[in-house]
Structure formats: C-alpha cells, structure tokens
Amino acid sequence: MDERSVGRLVSVNVGKPRDVAWRGRTVHTGVWKQPVSGPVMVRRLNLDGDGQGDLAGHGGEMRAVLAYQLDSYRHWQRSLGRDDLVHGCFGENLTVEGLPDDEVCIGDRYRIGDAVLEVSQPRVTCYRVGIRLEEPRMAALLVADHRPGFYLRVLTEGLVRAGDEIVQVAAGPERMTVAEIDALLYLPGHTRPQLDRALRIPALSPGWQASFRALQQESTVDSSGNAGLTAVAGPPPAWPGFRRLAVTAVDRESDSVFSLRLADPSGPPLPAALPGQFLTVRVRPGGQPVLRSYSMSGPPGAAGYRISVKREQHGAASGYLHDHVRAGDEVEVAAPRGSFTLRPGDTPVLLVSAGVGATPVLAMLHALAAAGSTRPVWWLHGARRRAEEPFAAESRALLAELPHAQGHVFYSRADPAERLSADALAALGLPTDADAYLCGPAGFLRDITAALVALGLDGSRVHAEVFGPESGLTPGIAPAPARPPHPPAGPVGNGPPVAFARSGLTVPWDDAYDSLLELAEACDVSTRWSCRTGVCHTCETRVISGAVGYSPDPVEAPADGNLLLCCARPTTDLALDL
C-alpha cells in the first residue's frame, strides 16, 4: 500500500510502577502515566522512563506500547459525565488523534517519528484502569463500548514526540479491526469463520492466538462458556446438585487408600464421565455437612463410578468414609466435573503422579487401554514405599495391554535419591512432543512441570490437577503472609450458607458483600481474578450445588454449571469448587 498520514501523536505518557492502597491491600501498578515533553525513545520493550507493574499481564515484546485515541476520551467524557480525564489516565503511552479501534487492524504498521510500530492485540481487560479512573466498571465498559485501545510491537526503535505525524506504512492481512478482535474473544458469538480469519494474522500476539485456538476446539465439542478465557469450561454436569448413590463395594488399594464403588440405587447406568474428572461427596460427621472432592479412578465407560480416598490425619471426610461407610450404604454425590481430562490425539502421553494423585491418571490409563491406543504411554509414579503405592497391580495390568507403554515407579522412603524428581525424569529420555498429565501436591506439580519444560516439552501441553485449594491469581497485589481459610471477621451473616469445598469452609452469606469474590477474599479462600467486572472469566468457578444471581450481568455467560465470582451473589444454599 502507499504510505498515508492517518493521525497525529497528541501526547507521550510514561510512569514508573507505584504502590497504591486499594481495599485494604497494596497494588503495584504502572497505570499512572504522565505526559512528558520533548523526544522520548521507544525501545523494543518499552519507552524510556516507563514501566509496567504486572509483567504477566502487560509488557513484553507484543505489549510494549499502549495507544489510546482522543475520540474515546470524548466518548467517556460524555458517557461518564467526566471533565477530569487527562492524557495518560487510561494507562496509555501514546494518546493519538485518529486510529479509532473500529478502523485500526491487527497487523497494521505505523511510523511515528523515527519509530515503526505494529498493532499486535487489543488492551487486556484489567481492574487497574478502574482504580486509576475511580470507576470499578471500567474494564467491562471498555469491552462493551468497543473502545479497548491497543498494544503495539516495536519494529524499529526511535524517538517520538507529541505533535508527530502518524503515517501508515503497511496494512494487516484479513483487515480485522481491534474492536472486532476484542469482541471475538470477550463477547458472545465466536463464529468459526471469524476465528479462522483471526488465526491467519501473523502479527496477532501468541496469547490471543492460543485463546482463539481454544475457541475453535470448543466449537467441535459439546461445551458451553468461553474456552478462550477459562480453563474450567467444558460439558455441563450430568445432574444439578447432589443425588444419593449406593456404595456397591469398598476396596483397599494400599495402606492408606481405599476405593468406593458407586451405582444408581435404582439400577440404570450412571452418566458417562470423562477420564480425569472428579466427584464431590457430601457427608455429615457430627450432623454438619462436609464437602470433599475425589478424583474418579475407574474406567470412564463403566456403568458405575469409583472414587479413591486417602485417609488424612484429622481428615473429617476421609475419616468418616473410612470408618463408617460400607457396601449397601448410600452417599450424597454431585455430578462428575473437571477440565483435567485426557485429550484426543496421537502424541505420546505422560501420566505423572505422586501418592493418591494416581487416581485421575489411572482413569486416563483405563481409557487408553479400553481404546486399544497405539500412542506411546509413560506411567511415572512416586510413592514413599511399596505398601503405599495404590493400584500397583491394576496399573501394571493396564500397561501390559498397551503396545507402546512403560511404567516407572519411584520409592522415596527406601532411598530419597530414588524419588521422582527432575534428575529422574532427565534420565528416562522422555519424548518432548508428549502431552503430560500431572497430579499430586502443589510442590510436586511445580517441580515436575518445571523439569518437563526444561527437558523441552511445550508448557501448554503440561496439564495439572492439584490436591486441595488451587493457587490464587491476584494480579498486582503485593504478597502477604498466607492464612488458612477462616470465617470472615465481624457479625455472622444471615444469608444462605456458602460452602468452599476445597477449603473445607462453610459460612453464611452477608449482603454487605458485593460479590462471592469479596466473601472469598474476606475468608482468605484462594481465588483467581483479574477484571472484577464479569469480562475476563479468570474467576470462573465450578458450582457443585445451588444458584446465584448476577450484578452486573456478565458480558458473556460462564459455562453451564459454573459461575463468575466477581459479580455473582447466592440466591440459595451454595457449594463451590474452591
């Protein structure tokens, strides 16, 4: 294309990250930008004098420079009734006249001063721009009003200054605008032709490409929600809430693990589960309900279910099940859930576990054997000693049915040097094109994931399931000493009980909280969030039982059987997979 003038650089804005007090916490953020006069050097990763507070969500080569346009300033002045919006207050480095989000396309290239920049993606939704503007809804409004702004990759470093002409030097392929790409990810209506077009744009950042590939995959399976934004989308649960299932057998698997076989008391087969999913069980030791989730360990196509339970010291639920539940009893069970499931393909499979973490990967091994899979399969398990290795005979029999399978079991108590570790993995000659499925304690998952990536596995192909509460994600929040989950301070609420199943905590709802996210935070329950306004789905959580209402409504609904913590409030008794 011929070069043409398309706009003007109005202001160059920079700012180093600072600590900001917010809701009793400290947020480390670089959203406070101030206009500067004179020339500023634009470098590959940033502008001189600038910085990003959260490099996981901002910064890097594909998000080096953020641009926002004057027309959007005018829009927000009208829409929000504001007369105090100054250049840089949206966190942008370049305030520009021209370059509207519904005309600028991903892959467009511009020369500003001495620098050449390429449009790489829309702005990521983030709660911190709401802090800067003192408008909590801002992350959702940027998406809903199709005015996100966009990031630029620096192709040629150079000096820029306010007043520079903006010259378009190349047009992106597919001509998909920033607003169109943003809506394709965050708003309902992810059509396959649009996804295909987006993925043909080389300039689109890898993170957005990965989200669109997940949405492509979603369109080929029975699922709901937005797989491009969340790891917990998937098929809806087979039944709501809890139902009573009969215990048909109790089997001892090791010194500390036993299995319960479950069936429909009236006789029909139970709905099929995916290999790797879990069940949530509700028991009532001492009359009070206690919820625990246990991975399913049996063949996924069987008429009944099998869960395997390790007896934990002082474990209320595991102790009750071990001591009181026998064949012929009934237990309350929620439907199979979970996105830690075996994925189809022909690549090698690594099934890696520690202790009772063998349960979900054993179900995957059952599925591979039942299908007569020819995929190379590696069964890697860590136990303290042979008597504590669950499913020893069963796993070996299944491996024998697979033509390209091998098993390696490591016993750490006999010789700590023989434990399942990075060095042990390196000695095995594992295939680097494998899909790996890991289950075990958090430290084990962290160490093994790092070891596999160091050996050459793509991190996106390492899938993990952790025991107990998952790690939190609170972007930009300064670290604080960890506390175990606890009831919130202050008077006890009079609303419906909210059970955080993984955390072993049930508390009454209090209308003083704006959302379930705020209640979870008051209880120090580990959570994951980013936008806090129903856009990004980072806080999407599985509902075990109960119902909620929303305020505000999410931009796009979560998957069936899930909710968005940041804008949900309970309307009935509620149990969450948290």
Side-chain angles (χ1 to χ4, degrees):
M1 61 169 290
D2 294 332
E3 295 186 3
R4 62 190 182 96
S5 177
V6 292
R8 179 176 61 88
L9 179 57
V10 175
S11 179
V12 181
N13 316 299
V14 300
K16 293 292 187 181
R18 65 173 71 174
D19 289 339
V20 178
W22 176 75
R23 295 189 175 186
R25 309 186 199 189
T26 298
V27 179
H28 188 64
T29 176
V31 76
W32 264 262
K33 310 293 186 189
Q34 302 295 332
V36 292
S37 59
V40 179
M41 189 68 179
V42 176
R43 302 192 188 276
R44 187 176 66 87
L45 297 181
N46 212 334
L47 283 72
D48 282 356
D50 193 48
Q52 294 101 1
D54 172 24
L55 293 178
H58 306 275
E61 181 180 355
M62 304 304 291
R63 297 174 298 201
V65 178
L66 180 63
Y68 209 59
Q69 42 293 124
L70 274 185
D71 185 60
S72 289
Y73 269 82
R74 300 179 186 112
H75 169 81
W76 298 120
Q77 286 169 340
R78 295 189 301 269
S79 175
L80 301 177
R82 300 280 292 264
D83 60 4
D84 59 343
L85 302 181
V86 297
H87 298 155
C89 71
F90 287 88
E92 81 275 12
N93 300 114
L94 307 181
T95 311
V96 298
E97 180 74 89
L99 305 189
D101 290 342
D102 59 357
E103 293 183 13
V104 170
C105 295
I106 304 298
D108 283 353
R109 294 182 177 183
Y110 301 100
R111 185 173 63 250
I112 307 176
D114 300 326
V116 178
L117 307 104
E118 179 180 68
V119 181
S120 57
Q121 65 172 68
R123 175 209 302 265
V124 177
T125 59
C126 174
Y127 74 106
R128 281 157 290 202
V129 69
I131 296 176
R132 174 69 176 83
L133 293 169
E134 298 182 344
E135 174 49 77
R137 303 171 298 160
M138 204 65 224
L141 293 173
L142 291 171
V143 173
D145 288 17
H146 307 286
R147 295 177 180 272
F150 53 87
Y151 280 108
L152 296 144
R153 181 165 71 103
V154 178
L155 301 181
T156 303
E157 296 181 342
L159 293 170
V160 301
R161 71 178 72 203
D164 280 345
E165 182 183 25
I166 301 174
V167 176
Q168 184 171 1
V169 299
E174 300 299 328
R175 306 307 299 147
M176 292 190 76
T177 68
V178 167
E180 186 178 3
I181 288 286
D182 195 62
L184 182 58
L185 180 60
Y186 288 115
L187 299 178
H190 323 282
T191 69
R192 185 60 183 256
Q194 283 181 301
L195 294 170
D196 291 342
R197 284 180 63 206
L199 287 169
R200 289 196 293 265
I201 305 175
L204 183 63
S205 68
W208 283 65
Q209 290 186 27
S211 294
F212 289 146
R213 282 194 294 270
L215 284 168
Q216 274 188 332
Q217 177 66 24
E218 179 187 67
S219 67
T220 66
V221 299
D222 179 20
S223 62
S224 59
N226 188 325
L229 296 175
T230 178
V232 297
W239 66 83
F242 289 86
R243 62 186 284 191
R244 300 190 71 84
L245 297 183
V247 178
T248 61
V250 179
D251 303 318
R252 183 153 298 281
E253 308 292 358
S254 72
D255 282 357
S256 59
V257 177
F258 84 129
S259 293
L260 297 180
R261 297 181 184 270
L262 305 170
D264 188 324
S266 59
L270 291 170
L274 297 174
Q277 289 190 304
F278 63 86
L279 297 178
T280 299
V281 176
R282 182 165 63 191
V283 296
R284 301 176 185 272
Q288 295 300 314
V290 175
L291 281 69
R292 294 292 186 272
S293 295
Y294 300 108
S295 295
M296 304 172 68
S297 57
Y305 299 151
R306 183 178 74 173
I307 58 172
S308 298
V309 181
K310 179 183 179 183
R311 180 164 194 154
E312 302 286 354
Q313 188 176 16
H314 310 303
S318 64
Y320 180 86
L321 292 172
H322 272 264
D323 294 340
H324 298 285
V325 174
R326 302 290 181 264
D329 292 342
E330 293 186 355
V331 293
E332 295 178 279
V333 179
R337 285 172 169 82
S339 55
F340 178 69
T341 56
L342 181 68
R343 306 182 185 195
D346 55 9
T347 56
V349 177
L350 309 182
L351 304 176
V352 191
S353 59
V356 75
T359 50
V361 292
L362 182 69
M364 297 178 187
L365 188 61
H366 268 290
L368 291 164
S373 177
T374 58
R375 300 171 73 174
V377 176
W378 297 65
W379 174 266
L380 308 174
H381 180 71
R384 289 189 294 181
R385 54 193 177 93
R386 191 174 298 275
E388 296 184 35
E389 178 193 353
F391 320 113
E394 185 176 347
S395 60
R396 288 164 177 74
L398 291 169
L399 291 169
E401 296 179 26
L402 294 163
H404 305 294
Q406 54 183 294
H408 300 271
V409 180
F410 303 81
Y411 302 107
S412 60
R413 178 163 290 180
D415 182 353
E418 295 299 319
R419 68 184 180 87
L420 180 50
S421 64
D423 290 342
L425 293 175
L428 293 174
L430 299 174
T432 58
D433 60 340
D435 282 286
Y437 300 87
L438 284 58
C439 187
F444 170 83
L445 297 182
R446 182 180 60 251
D447 294 346
I448 297 300
T449 296
L452 292 174
V453 171
L455 291 174
L457 268 74
D458 185 334
S460 67
R461 300 176 76 167
V462 180
H463 317 288
E465 180 84 320
V466 68
F467 296 160
E470 296 182 335
S471 60
L473 177 64
T474 55
I477 300 295
R483 299 178 60 194
H486 56 84
V492 176
N494 58 7
V498 177
F500 299 107
R502 288 179 181 250
S503 302
L505 178 68
T506 300
V507 296
W509 170 254
D510 189 328
D511 282 333
Y513 297 107
D514 287 334
S515 67
L516 284 162
L517 175 58
E518 289 189 6
L519 174 63
E521 291 174 330
C523 297
D524 282 309
V525 170
S526 179
T527 56
R528 301 175 65 83
W529 53 265
S530 182
C531 75
R532 302 182 73 98
T533 56
V535 180
C536 71
H537 287 236
T538 303
C539 70
E540 186 164 343
T541 301
R542 300 180 187 94
V543 178
I544 298 169
S545 65
V548 300
Y550 285 106
S551 180
D553 288 332
V555 172
E556 181 175 15
D560 294 342
N562 294 344
L563 57 72
L564 299 185
L565 287 173
C566 70
C567 51
R569 298 161 62 95
T571 56
T572 67
D573 294 5
L574 188 66
L576 301 176
D577 182 34
L578 273 179

